Amino acid sequence: MRLLQGYLWHPQEESGQGAFEDFDLENYLPHELGEAKVLWDDVRPPFAFFENGESTASQAFYQFTVLQLYDARPSAAALNADAQAASQALGPLLEATPPGVGWQLWEDLREL
């Protein structure tokens, strides 16, 4: 089951001399949060503009998914509790990203 879905982004560095030239997502997001797995991929910006009207074209985007395997379908309350626990574990890691890194995270309780 999917628990959380989100995006992380930062400025793309074209000059080869910028702060994000060597940005490595593995330094900020683990592959596991307790029993949950964290998967991420480079993606094209999923929207053309940020809420403030700024273009997303100059940003490098990553999509991440937090998922957990269950032997049987858990109750809605158990899923919600697992998603909340994953969010609480992931939140401080996302908050610790460098200035200029943006992120968005939401609960997504769908089967894979």
Side-chain angles (χ1 to χ4, degrees), residues 2-84:
R2 204 176 283 162
L3 299 176
L4 303 171
Q5 188 81 33
Y7 293 103
L8 184 138
W9 60 87
H10 63 79
Q12 290 182 21
E13 296 297 335
E14 296 179 15
S15 66
Q17 299 177 11
F20 296 101
E21 177 182 38
D22 296 322
F23 183 83
D24 186 354
L25 194 56
E26 289 199 38
N27 292 331
Y28 300 98
L29 292 182
H31 287 285
E32 296 182 359
L33 290 170
E35 293 184 31
K37 307 291 184 206
V38 182
L39 309 174
W40 64 83
D41 294 297
D42 297 350
V43 295
R44 288 185 182 178
F47 39 89
F49 298 95
F50 291 108
E51 290 180 9
N52 66 1
E54 181 184 338
S55 172
T56 60
S58 65
Q59 304 289 307
F61 268 79
Y62 309 89
Q63 180 177 5
F64 61 91
T65 303
V66 178
L67 60 97
Q68 189 162 330
L69 302 175
Y70 298 93
D71 291 331
R73 184 175 178 82
S75 68
L79 272 176
N80 191 15
D82 287 345
Q84 185 172 12

